[in-house]
Amino acid sequence: MFKKHITLLIILFTTSLFAQSKKIEVTGNEIYKDSLSSDSVHQYTVKADSATFLFGKVIQESVDLAITVKDPEGKIIAKIDGPAAGPEIFTVQTSENGDYQFEITPFENAEGIYTFQLLKKEPLASTKEGKIDQLMMRYNGNDVPGAEVLVLKDGKVLFKKAYGMANLSYDIPFKTTTLTNIGSTSKQFTAFAINLLAQQGKLSLDDDIRKYFPEFPKFDQKVTIRNLLSHTSGYREFLNTFSMTGRDLTSSLNREMILRLIENQPKLQDEPGTEFNYNNTGFAILAALVRRVTDTPFPEWMKMNVFKPLQMDHTIVRANSTEIIKNRAAGYTTGAKGEYVEVQDLDGSMGAGGIYTTLDDLSKWIENLHSHQLGGNAIYEEMTTRFILKNGDTIPYGQGLSIGNYKGQKIVQHGGSDNAHRSMLMYFPEFDGAVITQSNFAGFDSNMAYKIADIYFEDQFKNKNHEEQTIPKAVAKAENGFEYDPEKFDALVGDYALVNVPNFVISFTREDHKLFTQATKQPKLEIRALADSIFELKKVNARLTFHLEEDGSAQSVTLHQNGMSQLAKKVEKEEAPQNLKDYVGTYYSEEIQTVYKVKLEENELVLFNYQIGKNIKLFQGKDDSFSSEFPFSQIDFKKNDSEEIAGFYGSNGRTKNIYFKKIE
């Protein structure tokens, strides 16, 4: 996974058929290969001075394992437990002299072969540049997907560097001039285009979208362009909806298919302006709107009216995933065995995503966010003003940009992800600073830009009110070792149902000193405390924030995962329905022209769609509601006047209540 030219001093292979524990002193960068039995504890000791940076990997060749790191006093300072296969990467910053222990244990009694290697042992960086290099070390090498970083202040480049590879097939390194897919970071450019057209008098943000798309159905409430820009339209999200048809989302999608999805929608999911529902459909429509208003293809119009005036000469809107983009980074994710797998871009993302660009071009965009030279102050204010819902609540989103506070400073930002690429553009307007990170790896650290901002803008964050910061300060403390009394967790034990998916219940339990969570019919996972109210899952990249009462209990918890936050409220367990055979049958959706069969197998209900080709499990909930596996999150069966099952409504987060009628 890392540089092949690293000298291997020795390869140690030992078997421990009978030994349950083993202690090994690590010197240099040897590779230690060993077999792990279900009750093994292997301990690797690294002698280090204070202020030392340790970096290494454990390759899970045929065993799923976990790493626990302890300081010289035996205090746990880190736990690493990621994917079930491939590399587990560790980085440790020491704070005192002594022996640091790396304990290797199997996950859930697993057995098999692994290798341990300490790749780097060096003084903790004292310069800002060196600190970023150490943060980015896992993305650096000639056999790993890469990344790049740009830091700006007052229009000047403070840091710019690329790491790793842009293309693993052809050994092409990632450079700061490499064109990279920025995913949903593209939305701000689409929003800017719409505001330019409004400024030119070619449309109004408060126009009914049916003025330009009369083929869209007429509902009781109008959907405005402003609703599309703020994710408050009530339209279905096209990626989630197409997934319900059984479609592979890496397959070809064109603009007409997305627009036809809206034409088939029988009613709005929500009244426009009443609920924020992050929605790629709205921005796909906006790209089509540019074409209808200007009679110019969206990529061409963007080039002539946005990119060229800003001298963003290397920025391209990729109209579809088959278009050739020279000097671009290929995208990678991790396969089932831990290997890197190349994946295609999402198709049909133009407007919502689809832009390839460079760090230098993005620096010119940041400059315009500061100077407002193109578009003027009015457009900047439109895009960076939080949208107010009809009930008076304010959402942390403007138009194509998220608006918030980080460590007392206003932050304007948007992240992006495609099938593999990851992007973050953040701008601090109060002191004209910016951080941009890009990567062609799906496993890139989503918090990296914040960590880099902490390094470069520490002085700007000092003496500020931190109460509204994006990442709670307790988390930063916890990452250096937070001690939590497990008995406190008893006040939080119980079942919590997602507000948007009531049949999806997250349960919390305690077994002695260990804390666990389990979602509806999913595996039980251990969690650890980062603070009194903040916990992280050990096997899943997700965090939980309990909303504590004065007595330490909680009636709600927020799940943070994949850039989204979902609220769950405490509930009492209820009896599940028993007559499962009543639900068996064939169901058809006129809206998406898709058939599912509901079958009873081994006393469990499953859905089957011939395009998906496998059973989708249904898990009993309250009354006639079931939670489900992808591409659904919830199934709500409906009865007729004779108390017979007439159909079901299928939902999966951003797309809600698509009706499937029971047919003969």
Side-chain angles (χ1 to χ4, degrees):
M1 176 177 173
F2 295 89
K3 291 186 176 180
K4 296 177 181 177
H5 64 257
I6 292 177
T7 304
L8 305 182
L9 301 180
I10 186 171
I11 298 180
L12 302 179
F13 177 68
T14 59
T15 59
S16 53
L17 296 177
F18 305 102
Q20 294 183 350
S21 63
K22 181 178 295 185
K23 295 183 179 181
I24 300 170
E25 185 172 333
V26 177
T27 58
N29 60 349
E30 298 95 333
I31 293 179
Y32 298 85
K33 188 169 185 177
D34 212 333
S35 64
L36 199 64
S37 60
S38 60
D39 55 357
S40 295
V41 178
H42 292 184
Q43 189 179 84
Y44 294 83
T45 302
V46 179
K47 292 184 179 295
D49 297 331
S50 62
T52 298
F53 176 78
L54 305 176
F55 172 74
K57 63 179 179 179
V58 179
I59 302 295
Q60 304 169 116
E61 294 190 9
S62 60
V63 61
D64 185 7
L65 52 77
I67 308 170
T68 301
V69 186
K70 297 181 179 179
D71 68 10
E73 297 179 355
K75 182 179 178 181
I76 296 175
I77 57 175
K79 287 190 175 183
I80 301 98
D81 191 3
E88 296 276 19
I89 306 298
F90 61 82
T91 59
V92 175
Q93 298 181 7
T94 69
S95 57
E96 55 185 299
N97 298 338
D99 293 344
Y100 286 79
Q101 312 293 336
F102 294 80
E103 290 186 353
I104 311 298
T105 54
F107 177 73
E108 293 185 346
N109 299 318
E111 297 183 348
I113 305 297
Y114 73 92
T115 60
F116 177 99
Q117 185 179 22
L118 179 67
L119 290 158
K120 187 74 69 172
K121 178 183 175 182
E122 63 185 23
L124 198 61
S126 58
T127 66
K128 294 177 179 178
E129 294 82 1
K131 290 178 180 179
I132 294 180
D133 282 344
Q134 289 181 342
L135 276 177
M136 300 292 291
M137 195 167 289
R138 69 168 300 172
Y139 310 109
N140 197 22
N142 60 8
D143 57 354
V144 295
E148 58 184 355
V149 177
L150 176 67
V151 183
L152 301 168
K153 177 73 170 64
D154 297 324
K156 296 180 181 179
V157 174
L158 302 184
F159 185 90
K160 182 170 68 172
K161 192 169 183 178
Y163 305 84
M165 306 300 287
N167 190 298
L168 294 173
S169 297
Y170 297 100
D171 292 329
I172 301 173
F174 215 122
K175 300 179 180 179
T176 58
T177 55
T178 300
L179 274 74
T180 311
N181 183 344
I182 63 173
S184 288
T185 303
S186 306
K187 286 183 170 67
Q188 59 200 286
F189 294 97
T190 304
F192 187 78
I194 296 299
N195 275 277
L196 278 179
L197 292 175
Q199 191 178 74
Q200 297 166 7
K202 296 182 179 179
L203 54 81
S204 167
L205 300 189
D206 295 311
D207 282 342
D208 186 337
I209 192 62
R210 292 189 68 254
K211 177 179 178 180
Y212 308 96
F213 296 88
E215 67 271 29
F216 285 4
K218 185 177 181 180
F219 300 116
D220 292 339
Q221 306 91 8
K222 73 175 182 179
V223 177
T224 67
I225 295 173
R226 193 181 300 276
N227 292 140
L228 300 177
L229 289 164
S230 59
H231 303 287
T232 60
S233 67
Y235 284 144
R236 302 213 191 281
E237 205 285 325
F238 77 86
L239 292 173
N240 286 21
T241 303
F242 280 130
S243 71
M244 285 189 184
T245 69
R247 188 181 189 90
D248 179 357
L249 294 181
T250 63
S251 61
S252 177
L253 290 172
N254 58 44
R255 194 66 26 182
E256 290 70 27
M257 294 170 65
I258 297 171
L259 298 181
R260 192 162 60 245
L261 179 151
I262 300 301
E263 294 175 35
N264 288 349
Q265 186 169 337
K267 64 179 181 179
L268 293 172
Q269 296 189 150
D270 311 291
E271 179 185 346
T274 64
E275 183 175 329
F276 177 82
N277 182 28
Y278 189 85
N279 194 323
N280 289 301
T281 302
F283 280 79
I285 295 172
L286 292 172
L289 176 61
V290 171
R291 172 78 185 246
R292 293 209 176 182
V293 169
T294 67
D295 200 30
T296 305
F298 182 70
E300 183 180 332
W301 192 92
M302 291 295 292
K303 179 179 180 180
M304 297 305 299
N305 293 275
V306 179
F307 304 145
K308 188 173 181 180
L310 293 175
Q311 297 183 324
M312 297 174 66
D313 298 328
H314 300 94
T315 302
I316 298 169
V317 176
R318 194 180 198 191
N320 60 72
S321 61
T322 63
E323 182 181 353
I324 293 174
I325 305 292
K326 294 183 178 180
N327 190 35
R328 75 175 180 91
Y332 298 92
T333 188
T334 305
K337 297 181 180 179
E339 77 281 17
Y340 293 122
V341 178
E342 184 173 348
V343 293
Q344 281 279 73
D345 289 347
L346 282 169
D347 213 352
S349 63
M350 184 174 67
I355 287 180
Y356 273 80
T357 188
T358 65
L359 289 181
D360 284 344
D361 276 14
L362 288 176
S363 71
K364 295 170 184 176
W365 174 250
I366 293 291
E367 171 57 30
N368 197 63
L369 289 179
H370 172 69
S371 68
H372 315 151
Q373 182 176 355
L374 180 63
N377 294 340
I379 289 182
Y380 177 80
E381 290 299 322
E382 275 282 0
M383 293 178 60
T384 59
T385 298
R386 294 183 177 188
F387 184 84
I388 301 175
L389 298 176
K390 288 185 177 180
N391 66 0
D393 290 346
T394 301
I395 63 174
Y397 202 91
Q399 297 175 10
L401 286 167
S402 295
I403 318 299
N405 244 284
Y406 183 68
K407 295 189 173 179
Q409 294 284 358
K410 182 178 180 180
I411 181 173
V412 176
Q413 57 90 8
H414 211 294
S417 61
D418 202 274
N419 281 332
H421 294 82
R422 298 293 182 263
S423 170
M424 174 56 77
L425 181 148
M426 58 171 57
Y427 177 58
F428 299 94
E430 293 174 341
F431 61 85
D432 192 22
V435 176
I436 298 171
T437 58
Q438 313 286 355
S439 178
N440 61 338
F441 178 46
F444 185 75
D445 183 353
S446 59
N447 288 323
M448 186 63 73
Y450 290 99
K451 296 175 183 177
I452 293 169
D454 288 342
I455 292 172
Y456 262 95
F457 301 138
E458 180 182 11
D459 292 341
Q460 281 73 28
F461 297 148
K462 282 181 178 178
N463 302 318
K464 285 284 186 176
N465 176 14
H466 292 191
E467 294 303 317
E468 298 181 37
Q469 63 192 53
T470 303
I471 299 178
K473 57 185 176 183
V475 172
K477 177 183 177 183
E479 289 171 348
N480 293 324
F482 176 78
E483 294 185 4
Y484 181 74
D485 180 0
E487 291 187 0
K488 286 185 178 180
F489 198 71
D490 291 344
L492 306 177
V493 166
D495 300 318
Y496 299 74
L498 290 185
V499 172
N500 290 333
V501 190
N503 209 40
F504 189 86
V505 176
I506 307 171
S507 300
F508 297 95
T509 55
R510 178 172 76 90
E511 298 176 13
D512 295 326
H513 66 284
K514 290 188 176 182
L515 314 177
F516 295 93
T517 185
Q518 185 172 19
T520 303
K521 289 298 182 178
Q522 294 188 16
K524 180 188 289 187
L525 299 174
E526 189 175 354
I527 60 177
R528 70 183 182 108
L530 301 178
D532 285 335
S533 61
I534 303 170
F535 300 79
E536 71 175 4
L537 280 69
K538 288 188 175 182
K539 294 292 291 183
V540 178
N541 186 17
R543 284 182 176 174
L544 299 150
T545 302
F546 285 90
H547 308 289
L548 298 183
E549 307 285 345
E550 289 185 3
D551 62 358
S553 65
Q555 295 301 312
S556 62
V557 61
T558 298
L559 169 66
H560 309 279
Q561 187 176 15
N562 298 326
M564 296 179 63
S565 297
Q566 298 190 70
L567 182 67
K569 293 187 176 181
K570 200 165 190 177
V571 296
E572 298 296 328
K573 286 186 176 180
E574 300 197 28
E575 293 298 322
Q578 298 299 319
N579 298 321
L580 297 182
K581 63 181 181 180
D582 293 344
Y583 303 105
V584 172
T586 302
Y587 296 78
Y588 173 70
S589 170
E590 179 67 29
E591 179 181 349
I592 60 175
Q593 299 177 15
T594 301
V595 172
Y596 279 90
K597 288 188 175 182
V598 177
K599 302 185 292 184
L600 186 60
E601 295 189 356
E602 297 181 357
N603 205 34
E604 289 187 337
L605 282 184
V606 296
L607 288 175
F608 182 82
N609 172 280
Y610 81 97
Q611 289 198 87
I612 297 175
K614 66 176 184 179
N615 288 338
I616 302 161
K617 292 183 179 180
L618 296 180
F619 308 113
Q620 298 179 35
K622 179 182 176 182
D623 298 329
D624 295 309
S625 294
F626 292 72
S627 61
S628 179
E629 299 175 322
F630 186 83
F632 294 96
S633 61
Q634 182 161 336
I635 299 291
D636 295 304
F637 288 94
K638 296 300 175 184
K639 294 179 178 177
N640 57 25
D641 293 339
S642 302
E643 290 297 306
E644 298 171 332
I645 300 297
F648 70 77
Y649 288 96
S651 303
N652 64 359
R654 298 174 184 174
T655 292
K656 298 183 290 186
N657 296 326
I658 290 185
Y659 187 64
F660 290 78
K661 181 181 179 181
K662 191 174 185 181
I663 60 176
E664 294 298 328

